[in-house]
Amino acid sequence: MATATKFIGKPLKRKEDPRLIQGIAHYVDDLVLAGMLHAGFVRSPHAHAVVKSIDSTKAQSAPGVVGVFTAEDFRGQIGIVPCAAQLPDLKGAPRPVLATGRVRFVGEAVAVVVASDRYALRDAMDLVEVDYEPLTPVVDPEKAISKNAPVLHEPSADNVSFRWELEGGDVKRAFKQADKVIRQRILNQRLVPMAMEPRGVLAEYKRGEKTLTVWSSTQIPHLLKTQLAAMLGTPEHSVRVITPEVGGGFGSKLNVYPEEAIVAHLAMRLGHPVKWMESRRENFVCTIHGRDQIADVEAAVSKDGTLLGTKWRIIADLGAYYQLLTPLVPTLTGLMLAGSYKVPAIKIEIIGALTNKMATDAYRGAGRPEATYYVERLMDLIAAELKMDPAEIRRKNFPLPKEFPYTTPTGVAYDSANYQRSLDIALKKSGYAKLRKEQAALRKQGRYLGIGVSTYVEICAMGPSSAMPAGGWESATVRVEPTGKVTILTGASPHGQGQETSFAQMGAEVLGLTPDDVNVVHGDTGAVPYGIGTFGSRGTAVGGTAAYMSLVKLRDKLAKIVGHLTGEDPKNFVFGGGSISSKSSANKSISLGEAIGAAYTAKTLPQGMEPGLEATTFFEPTNFTFPFGAHVCVVEIDAETGGVRLLKYVAVDDCGNVLNPLLVEGQVHGGIVQSVGQAMFEEAVYDEHGQLITGELMDYAIPRADAMPWMETHRTVTPSPVNPLGVKGVGEAGTIGATPAIINAVVDALAPFGVRHVDMPVKRERIWKLMRRKAAPKRAPRAAAKAKPKKKSKSAARRRTSRRAR
Amino acid sequence: MSVEIQVRVNGQPRQSTVEPRTLLVHYLRDVLGLTGTHVGCETSLCGACTVLLDGRAVKSCTMLAVQADGANITTIEGVSGLNGSNGGLHPVQEGFWEKHGLQCGFCTPGMICASVELLSKNPNPSEAEIRHALHGNLCRCTGYQKIVESVRYAAGKMKARKR
Ligand code: FES
Ligand code: FES
């Protein structure tokens, strides 16, 4: 990439914004077609039950109702919900689009009602009578995989979906050599992705043209098209998927859902366009969840803090059925369990458990936030045990910059990094040394400041095709139109990331135009080449590279044309200001328009050159990329209430080269705040009956505007060698780096109370109880984690009584 | 049963017959075709449906259309017609564009309406006041910081224009 750039790397404001800030953009629900009908799903209130009968007579005859359909009506006509994950010995857990005879989670659809308008639909849905015979649900994943648990998918003997094992290095020896072995159980709770726009689908079938058009709020229009064709038995060339504006995804729309297939089928069957919009309640119960793992770790360390080896046993709660990538996500956790450290030996066992809940799948970070959280908690546990500073123990175990590419014992090759540098900057920018002094002083006053550090590495830019079920490449076609305007057609499917702008910056840079001359088209399978989609921080690193390579192809072609016309060496041209100029002589320069004209009129082209100006690239990356960084978080805990207040947040991220720093900052901010959600507020709680009791925004708290202090974000730049742009990807960094920084800060604040670990989310009640397990010490030494738990002091007991009395 | 209502929406008088149970947000979207106002929860918890009703930010999913009878409503489509817009974008819209106050844009119309109300009452809000005023509007993309910057930008712009 050129060093002096005009547009690449500049904080240009977004091209997509004018339509969004004026309310004239179109999301699925904003589309209205003539004769459009509305579909609504009748869903199981039981986590596990036999569906004995469904009586839809009353609903059928309700005003405005066009039809009521159950699994019986779709038999042989719609295939099962696809899962792309391939793992050895993966147990089958097939999900029909509507429950056939048995429901396995609250929210599983048993019938679909179609009516002429939304209000009529709502009325009619209440008239569908379903007779259930409840079965015992399996809610706890550990119980689910133990003997005698009710089995979800007979004829299987148990609820174990898979066992995935990975070992590298000599683990036995590591533990034999260890001065200390540190053990901890660490939970990673279930989360709801909660894109602000729920899912939605609109489908229209044109009988004459035999074309099915499906507008869906999805991250993967192309894969959806292929899967729909397969599920519906419709030729793929007659299916077109369009993603209008998509109001956030975070992985929750990186999927193929039953509703998409059913709505498409109904549009064909009824001869009317059909729309379904998910309610927020449905979004809670039947859009994929994220995380939900239990990890038991043992670490072997020497007394100077050197990591010798780690052993992991992780149980992943997969829910009742597989969505597109459900069983795959926990294996990503496995791949990243070395973190940003040199661990000579690692042994991992991951067990997927089937339970009566909604499926988990790829939620922002998908397996990596879990890994990073465990590893970063572990580093702090070790530091506390050895009375070392958390920053020090990290520094001690980093691979050095000269050791890259660095391969972990689990076989993952990190592309490039300088972990020391990002940590140093984060410590400096946050005033770490001063903070430690302040912390000590405040503790004497009975105030509890906590400082948390996390240094993360993530696996991104998904990825080489060898590691991706549906391929890991991305496509782009670039067309220089005869008038000199440029169209970039990308196979990626941005939904808020801003690639209409950053790709236009690239186009302008390469062809010497302005970003306004470049239009980026995405999310329409009828218009753009087949692609994979936007997820796994791949939009720019893989999709952007494909666009860049196509742009370069066209630049080279134009240079060849001009060279042919002027007799100049094609290498000697610069593009800019609407012309293609020779570096050596002015009369060998011509306007861009003239060169484009030559390509299209095709009368003066070099021998053998094809006319036109269109280039397509399918870019296949050779590896993933590995963005990294260091985050520092400062919290204060209110000793009276247990409330955690975030005081300061400093993030240093390295996502390689950057196309638009404004967009990168936006991604980092959003990611960090989603992390705050997991660390402090969010938790999808199923009760023992399998009811999602945090199934509304009233009970499931996502961060609000006042959740955060002013975030300070910095960047280091270590270009990735994996793609010519040198970009690594940034969509998930914040979500990966921040959770452990926050929890490490909370645990650090609680050190005087003998707390060495606390599970998320750190709600007041949980913290308050921990603080009362043991009286507040008068003066607390820093590494108080070692202090023996004392009996309750009188004053603490008194405080308790008086509280109760109030 | 249907009821007749008269409202002014984005400066235009409108007369409609609605079912009494019709939510204001559905009236705006489905009857008037103003789809810039979004539905994120229908339970008054996300703020995506925020519009200005006689200058006050309200969640239009929590109101019936009949309750808005006689009111003056501004939706995102009409924000640029409000005072201070100089014919182009409203300063709050400019702020969101300049400061990257949106990503997917789904929460944005509601955020903008809530911010317009804030600045009409408090032309020079502090960071804490902005965060407090937007407390009822959820955004899952931006992390809110750039939204705060957007509102500050708008405040500065509006002050400069008054001078
Ligand atoms: S849709 Fe009205 S507050 Fe969410
Ligand atoms: S910009 Fe996506 S929810 Fe706010």
Side-chain angles (χ1 to χ4, degrees):
Chain A
M1 237 164 58
T3 35
T5 57
K6 219 169 152 194
F7 299 109
I8 288 183
K10 301 288 185 305
L12 261 55
K13 58 183 184 182
R14 298 202 314 175
K15 290 177 60 131
E16 38 278 82
D17 287 358
R19 63 177 189 265
L20 297 168
I21 55 178
Q22 295 182 89
I24 49 175
H26 292 96
Y27 299 81
V28 176
D29 200 17
D30 304 339
L31 304 172
V32 177
L33 300 178
M36 186 172 84
L37 303 173
H38 297 264
F41 290 83
V42 177
R43 298 182 185 278
S44 167
H46 299 283
H48 203 182
V50 173
V51 182
K52 292 178 72 182
S53 65
I54 301 175
D55 182 357
S56 58
T57 9
K58 271 191 223 147
Q60 296 271 16
S61 56
V65 170
V66 175
V68 181
F69 306 84
T70 63
E72 214 35 58
D73 300 300
F74 298 149
R75 188 183 290 277
Q77 299 188 60
I78 309 181
I80 60 162
V81 178
C83 172
Q86 292 148 354
L87 291 176
D89 303 322
L90 182 65
K91 178 160 300 166
R95 177 176 183 191
V97 290
L98 287 182
T100 47
R102 187 154 149 201
V103 287
R104 293 183 177 84
F105 68 94
V106 169
E108 184 168 2
V110 295
V112 54
V113 182
V114 181
S116 55
D117 78 85
R118 275 188 238 243
Y119 284 65
L121 173 67
R122 192 67 203 77
D123 292 340
M125 280 166 62
D126 290 342
L127 300 175
V128 178
E129 284 168 13
V130 187
D131 190 11
Y132 296 96
E133 183 184 305
L135 301 171
T136 311
V138 189
V139 181
D140 180 314
E142 285 186 295
K143 285 194 191 135
I145 57 171
S146 65
K147 279 208 187 86
N148 303 327
V151 172
L152 261 72
H153 295 275
E154 287 103 0
S156 275
D158 59 24
N159 298 311
V160 175
S161 154
F162 65 86
R163 270 174 213 276
W164 186 87
E165 285 168 10
L166 189 64
E167 187 168 354
D170 192 339
V171 178
K172 269 206 186 109
R173 203 181 63 183
F175 278 80
K176 222 180 269 161
Q177 284 176 345
D179 295 322
K180 272 210 172 15
V181 173
I182 286 138
R183 294 183 181 84
Q184 183 63 44
R185 165 164 282 212
I186 306 176
L187 307 183
N188 211 297
Q189 83 271 33
R190 184 177 271 254
L191 300 177
V192 178
M194 186 85 56
M196 288 320 299
E197 180 208 24
R199 292 187 290 125
V201 198
L202 165 65
E204 179 184 40
Y205 185 66
K206 291 215 168 104
R207 284 180 203 280
E209 295 84 343
K210 291 206 175 65
T211 54
L212 172 69
T213 308
V214 178
W215 291 263
S216 184
S217 184
T218 182
Q219 297 170 238
I220 46 165
H222 304 276
L223 303 182
L224 177 61
K225 179 190 68 155
T226 303
Q227 294 300 334
L228 281 178
M231 291 170 84
L232 302 175
T234 309
E236 189 171 357
H237 59 243
S238 64
V239 183
R240 176 179 176 192
V241 173
I242 300 175
T243 58
E245 304 293 345
V246 173
F250 315 112
S252 71
K253 297 171 182 173
L254 158 54
N255 233 305
V256 177
Y257 286 100
E259 294 87 355
E260 291 172 311
I262 291 175
V263 167
H265 169 86
L266 288 172
M268 296 173 81
R269 182 167 179 154
L270 301 173
H272 277 270
V274 178
K275 186 197 269 183
W276 167 72
M277 280 310 299
E278 189 184 49
S279 69
R280 182 54 65 188
R281 172 69 186 165
E282 287 177 296
N283 184 261
F284 269 98
V285 295
C286 60
T287 287
I288 62 109
H289 293 169
R291 320 279 190 260
D292 208 352
Q293 296 181 359
I294 302 169
D296 284 296
V297 59
E298 283 178 65
V301 291
S302 59
K303 40 175 188 293
D304 69 347
T306 307
L307 275 168
L308 302 174
T310 49
K311 280 196 256 186
W312 303 86
R313 184 173 188 267
I314 294 173
I315 297 171
D317 187 340
L318 305 180
Y321 300 101
Y322 306 141
Q323 285 286 328
L324 196 59
L325 302 169
T326 300
L328 205 66
V329 173
T331 65
L332 279 173
T333 305
L335 287 183
M336 293 312 287
L337 284 173
S340 51
Y341 310 105
K342 287 167 87 166
V343 197
I346 302 184
K347 187 177 170 192
I348 303 162
E349 182 191 18
I350 299 180
I351 302 162
L354 292 159
T355 60
N356 289 108
K357 300 178 192 166
M358 179 56 200
T360 49
D361 202 310
Y363 166 52
R364 200 174 194 175
R368 293 99 91 211
E370 295 90 319
T372 306
Y373 178 66
Y374 304 145
V375 172
E376 291 306 299
R377 279 300 305 126
L378 177 64
M379 294 311 278
D380 266 32
L381 284 161
I382 298 170
E385 183 75 31
L386 299 176
K387 296 188 183 157
M388 284 177 76
D389 185 277
E392 197 44 47
I393 189 129
R394 286 174 167 76
R395 218 179 260 125
K396 190 160 200 93
N397 288 288
F398 287 147
L400 300 173
K402 62 169 194 273
E403 292 175 84
F404 286 85
Y406 173 78
T407 304
T408 68
T410 47
V412 183
Y414 297 168
D415 56 349
S416 58
N418 188 336
Y419 300 141
Q420 286 80 352
R421 184 157 53 127
S422 36
L423 177 59
D424 288 345
I425 296 173
L427 295 181
K428 201 169 147 217
K429 296 283 180 188
S430 61
Y432 185 73
K434 215 173 123 213
L435 282 169
R436 284 284 176 217
K437 281 187 198 135
E438 221 178 291
Q439 177 184 46
L442 286 175
R443 276 185 189 170
K444 286 181 201 154
Q445 303 167 24
R447 286 179 58 189
Y448 301 97
L449 208 66
I451 307 155
V453 177
S454 109
T455 47
Y456 73 90
V457 56
E458 52 164 338
I459 181 167
C460 275
M462 307 269 150
S465 293
S466 56
M468 303 270 293
W473 45 270
E474 197 50 271
S475 67
T477 295
V478 178
R479 191 162 61 228
V480 179
E481 314 282 358
T483 54
K485 297 293 178 196
V486 176
T487 306
I488 298 181
L489 305 153
T490 171
S493 194
H495 41 281
Q497 293 87 347
Q499 276 127 354
E500 287 178 35
T501 306
S502 58
F503 286 12
Q505 290 175 248
M506 252 185 336
E509 188 78 51
V510 174
L511 297 173
L513 297 164
T514 69
D516 283 342
D517 295 322
V518 185
N519 188 34
V520 178
V521 178
H522 57 82
D524 179 351
T525 64
V528 312
Y530 200 91
I532 303 293
T534 292
F535 55 88
S537 303
R538 69 192 305 280
T540 302
V542 192
T545 300
Y548 178 73
M549 290 167 80
S550 296
L551 285 161
V552 169
K553 285 178 192 167
L554 292 180
R555 184 184 63 193
D556 292 350
K557 183 170 183 177
L558 283 164
K560 266 193 205 132
I561 293 171
V562 182
H564 179 70
L565 294 175
T566 61
E568 176 68 294
D569 180 353
K571 289 198 191 74
N572 247 350
F573 291 113
V574 283
F575 285 66
S579 57
I580 304 174
S581 336
S582 158
K583 285 183 216 157
S584 54
S585 103
N587 58 15
K588 286 183 174 169
S589 307
I590 66 173
S591 76
L592 187 62
E594 202 181 320
I596 294 167
Y600 278 102
T601 55
K603 299 182 203 321
T604 51
L605 290 179
Q607 187 96 48
M609 182 183 274
E610 279 182 28
L613 282 171
E614 184 165 306
T616 297
T617 307
F618 284 75
F619 172 63
E620 168 68 41
T622 51
N623 188 4
F624 298 98
T625 63
F626 297 84
F628 61 94
H631 289 199
V632 175
C633 174
V634 184
V635 302
E636 182 169 0
I637 295 185
D638 185 325
E640 275 300 302
T641 65
V644 176
R645 202 154 62 90
L646 292 175
L647 299 181
K648 191 182 186 98
Y649 202 94
V650 177
V652 180
D653 295 288
D654 194 321
C655 56
N657 287 333
V658 159
L659 298 186
N660 183 330
L662 209 55
L663 304 182
V664 166
E665 243 177 72
Q667 288 296 316
V668 171
H669 285 175
I672 291 172
V673 174
Q674 270 179 19
S675 260
V676 170
Q678 171 161 29
M680 299 181 53
F681 312 116
E682 298 177 28
E683 189 174 24
V685 183
Y686 281 88
D687 70 8
E688 71 272 26
H689 308 295
Q691 293 293 338
L692 181 62
I693 55 176
T694 53
E696 277 289 356
L697 277 165
M698 191 71 112
D699 310 305
Y700 186 96
I702 70 165
R704 293 177 181 273
D706 57 2
M708 288 300 290
W710 201 256
M711 291 172 271
E712 223 188 277
T713 55
H714 304 275
R715 275 192 297 110
T716 57
V717 178
T718 310
S720 171
V722 172
N723 59 64
L725 293 170
V727 302
K728 288 185 175 231
V730 72
E732 294 152 302
T735 335
I736 291 170
T739 320
I742 299 160
I743 299 301
N744 283 348
V746 170
V747 176
D748 184 53
L750 295 175
F753 298 85
V755 173
R756 64 195 287 272
H757 180 71
V758 49
D759 282 315
M760 303 183 285
V762 287
K763 294 195 173 156
R764 266 160 217 260
E765 185 197 1
R766 185 171 289 172
I767 303 292
W768 188 84
K769 280 184 183 152
L770 280 173
M771 292 176 101
R772 265 139 199 87
R773 246 182 15 190
K774 179 167 172 285
K778 283 200 193 84
R779 278 191 65 192
R782 211 198 90 58
K786 279 277 289 187
K788 285 200 199 88
K790 269 188 269 162
K791 285 215 178 111
K792 265 179 263 153
S793 79
K794 269 191 193 147
S795 69
R798 228 184 349 259
R799 206 154 45 228
R800 270 187 167 181
T801 333
S802 65
R803 270 190 172 264
R804 220 176 286 135
R806 248 180 259 154
Chain B
M1 193 185 86
S2 292
V3 182
E4 191 160 300
I5 59 166
Q6 286 185 11
V7 286
R8 223 180 157 78
V9 182
N10 300 332
Q12 303 243 341
R14 301 278 196 160
Q15 197 163 9
S16 308
T17 321
V18 295
E19 260 193 81
R21 64 172 175 170
T22 305
L23 295 177
L24 177 58
V25 67
H26 289 148
Y27 171 68
L28 293 170
R29 289 178 53 86
D30 299 342
V31 180
L32 303 185
L34 295 167
T35 54
T37 303
H38 298 149
V39 179
C41 70
E42 254 177 28
T43 49
S44 190
L45 292 163
C46 77
C49 64
T50 307
V51 299
L52 295 164
L53 191 113
D54 295 327
R56 271 185 325 119
V58 300
K59 290 174 176 169
S60 60
C61 75
T62 324
M63 258 186 101
L64 298 170
V66 292
Q67 291 175 295
D69 188 22
N72 194 343
I73 299 166
T74 306
T75 67
I76 186 66
E77 290 91 341
V79 162
S80 63
L82 295 174
N83 280 345
S85 296
N86 268 358
L89 293 175
H90 188 278
V92 173
Q93 289 171 313
E94 279 179 43
F96 274 72
W97 192 11
E98 288 293 331
K99 295 294 170 189
H100 190 29
L102 61 147
Q103 289 178 29
C104 79
F106 196 76
C107 71
T108 312
M111 285 285 180
I112 288 177
C113 287
S115 306
V116 168
E117 186 207 30
L118 166 68
L119 295 180
S120 72
K121 293 194 298 206
N122 179 356
N124 194 15
S126 65
E127 181 194 338
E129 285 167 335
I130 296 171
R131 289 185 188 271
H132 181 74
L134 299 180
H135 191 264
N137 292 71
L138 300 177
C139 174
R140 194 61 155 164
C141 298
T142 63
Y144 303 103
Q145 187 153 315
K146 290 195 175 290
I147 291 178
V148 174
E149 284 184 55
S150 305
V151 178
R152 274 186 181 161
Y153 176 96
K157 200 79 195 225
M158 287 167 87
K159 212 190 295 163
R161 281 193 189 158
K162 264 195 205 127
R163 247 181 247 140

